[in-house]
Amino acid sequence: GAVVSQHPSWVICKSGTSVKIECRSLDFQATTMFWYRQFPKQSLMLMATSNEGSKATYEQGVEKDKFLINHASLTLSTLTVTSAHPEDSSFYICSARRGTGSYEQYFGPGTRLTVT
Amino acid sequence: TQLLEQSPQFLSIQEGENLTVYCNSSSVFSSLQWYRQEPGEGPVLLVTVVTGGEVKKLKRLTFQFGDARKDSSLHITAAQPGDTGLYLCAGARGKLIFGQGTELSVKP
């Protein structure tokens, strides 16, 4: 068990439009999900922590009005990139933590966003 | 300042060689995870170490957690081309703190 899916796996959008990325835990309930951004050949950069039923906690330097996060259920979190610009092009990865007593995170396959 | 220093950041070796990747910090972690990531995919959890001095083996991979729970190492014996990928260590301190990653290339 511990499978996390992301949809879409890749998306191309025009500058100024908004894009929604879904993250689902398929076989477990995740009270906490995380959103990361990753540039080529680099490590993961945490953007925000998403807790089911409450507001997300954003890392310093991440614009909460630009990267809208919703964690409406124990199996689904969404990241909406609003008014996307070419500099938002990146690989976005979500992860889910199973249970509250574990720090193990299970990652989705990622979403490649390209803004033209 | 990087909280978790991972080294080396790039490693290119021949098939059959051994290698070690290090993660070092001045901070104590409650646990430390190692992940492997292939291009265009999400990281896959390899192992979690929790106890200071703990050693875990996963086939040709050996993971060690430092006695003081501030550092960890990953040793690969007789590397194979299939081991190629980005290896990430991540320490738990309320949230996961990732190292910079080690890009490993194993040439046949």
Side-chain angles (χ1 to χ4, degrees), chain A residues 9-10 15-16 19 25 30 39-40 44 56 58 63 78 80 85 96 100 112:
Chain A
S9 55
W10 60 270
S15 189
V19 174
S25 56
F39 293 103
L44 279 69
Y58 290 81
E63 298 176 60
T78 60
T80 301
H85 291 283
T100 56
R112 170 72 59 194

Side-chain angles (χ1 to χ4, degrees), chain A residues 6 9 34 36 38 41-46 49 59 91 93-95 97 103-110 112, chain B residues 10 30-31 33 35 37 40-45 47-48 86 88 92-96 98-101 103:
Chain A
Q6 264 182 258
S9 55
F34 304 85
Y36 295 84
Q38 187 179 33
K41 306 287 186 182
Q42 294 187 23
S43 188
L44 279 69
M45 182 185 77
L46 179 64
T49 301
E59 294 298 302
F91 193 51
I93 309 176
C94 73
S95 70
R97 189 160 73 195
Y103 283 108
E104 292 183 349
Q105 293 182 23
Y106 298 89
F107 286 83
R112 170 72 59 194
Chain B
F10 300 95
S30 57
S31 67
Q33 283 90 51
Y35 294 84
Q37 184 182 23
E41 299 181 11
V44 175
L45 179 65
V47 78
T48 298
L86 178 67
L88 297 158
R93 291 191 78 216
K95 58 187 176 184
L96 277 188
F98 279 88
Q100 302 99 318
E103 188 75 35

Side-chain angles (χ1 to χ4, degrees), chain A residues 73-100:
Chain A
S73 76
L74 287 171
T75 59
L76 173 65
S77 177
T78 60
L79 167 68
T80 301
V81 183
T82 62
S83 187
H85 291 283
E87 57 265 33
D88 298 325
S89 298
S90 191
F91 193 51
Y92 292 88
I93 309 176
C94 73
S95 70
R97 189 160 73 195
R98 183 168 58 179
T100 56

Side-chain angles (χ1 to χ4, degrees), chain B:
Chain B
T1 303
Q2 186 74 22
L3 192 60
L4 195 55
E5 294 285 344
Q6 189 171 342
S7 63
Q9 292 189 36
F10 300 95
L11 192 55
S12 180
I13 60 173
Q14 293 295 129
E15 181 176 2
E17 294 184 7
N18 301 330
L19 67 113
T20 302
V21 178
Y22 299 92
C23 265
N24 295 295
S25 176
S26 57
S27 302
V28 176
F29 294 101
S30 57
S31 67
L32 194 137
Q33 283 90 51
W34 285 92
Y35 294 84
R36 178 168 169 264
Q37 184 182 23
E38 298 198 37
E41 299 181 11
V44 175
L45 179 65
L46 297 175
V47 78
T48 298
V49 286
V50 178
T51 307
E54 183 176 5
V55 177
K56 282 191 174 179
K57 292 194 173 187
L58 188 65
K59 296 184 180 179
R60 294 176 293 100
L61 278 60
T62 301
F63 305 85
Q64 186 164 9
F65 202 12
D67 291 340
R69 291 186 290 133
K70 295 180 179 181
D71 53 85
S72 181
S73 64
L74 157 61
H75 182 79
I76 301 180
T77 304
Q80 298 177 2
D83 295 327
T84 294
L86 178 67
Y87 289 82
L88 297 158
C89 64
R93 291 191 78 216
K95 58 187 176 184
L96 277 188
I97 309 296
F98 279 88
Q100 302 99 318
T102 296
E103 188 75 35
L104 172 65
S105 174
V106 182
K107 302 185 186 309

